[in-house]
Amino acid sequence: MTDQISAPDIFRMDRRTALAATGIAATALTAVACSSYGNTEKAAASTNGAQDKRQDGSTELAKTSEVPVGGGVIKGDTVITQATAGAFAGFSSTCTHLGCKVGEVSDGVIKCPCHGSKFNLDGSVAGGPAPRALDTRAVRVEGDSIVSA
Ligand code: FES
């Protein structure tokens, strides 16, 4: 007499085996999700130009064409402004109030979303609770690029 295994017997698991399988599946899904998230961050960093290292060790932050005259852009942890044509300046994107990252450059000012501080395009305080100007970041123009100095 031979043992016959029916289909339901093949798929029957004890409770411990089922829990272990669930844990392994959850771990695998988490690993895949984290891996995908990292790739998205790298792609975003590459897209915004903040991670493009150059042969001389400087970093390309932006193309000059990306920075509007009378405005600016935020690239990674650097704010790049162009108050007048060709006058580029760089600043830390860390607000001098309580350390939030400034969120946007619009209407001729750099704005912090946390408590409403505003900074002029030269980094000086334009309003809000910030006690001092944004820290400067040395930048220079090379060709059509703005690079860290
Ligand atoms: Fe920017 Fe408070 S941290 S206004």
Side-chain angles (χ1 to χ4, degrees):
M1 187 168 159
T2 61
D3 288 335
Q4 288 190 333
I5 300 174
S6 64
D9 289 334
I10 291 173
F11 297 108
R12 190 175 301 152
M13 293 185 222
D14 64 26
R15 183 177 174 182
R16 182 173 295 178
T17 303
L19 287 173
T22 302
I24 290 168
T27 302
L29 284 172
T30 302
V32 168
C34 289
S35 170
S36 296
Y37 179 74
N39 288 341
T40 302
E41 291 243 308
K42 286 177 189 170
S46 178
T47 300
N48 77 14
Q51 300 296 320
D52 298 335
K53 275 281 188 202
R54 300 162 63 91
Q55 284 185 333
D56 67 0
S58 63
T59 300
E60 180 177 305
L61 300 170
K63 297 294 184 189
T64 55
S65 59
E66 295 178 71
V67 186
V69 176
V73 295
I74 301 168
K75 295 289 185 173
D77 60 357
T78 303
V79 182
I80 305 160
T81 63
Q82 185 178 195
T84 59
F88 295 97
F91 304 97
S92 167
S93 65
T94 301
C95 179
T96 57
H97 178 224
L98 293 177
C100 288
K101 295 294 183 188
V102 296
E104 67 174 306
V105 183
S106 62
D107 303 322
V109 292
I110 304 161
K111 299 175 181 175
C112 179
C114 290
H115 313 101
S117 287
K118 295 178 183 177
F119 302 89
N120 295 306
L121 297 179
D122 66 357
S124 63
V125 176
R132 62 180 176 80
L134 293 172
D135 293 335
T136 58
R137 289 274 170 87
V139 296
R140 68 177 188 272
V141 176
E142 281 190 12
D144 65 350
S145 298
I146 299 170
V147 301
S148 61

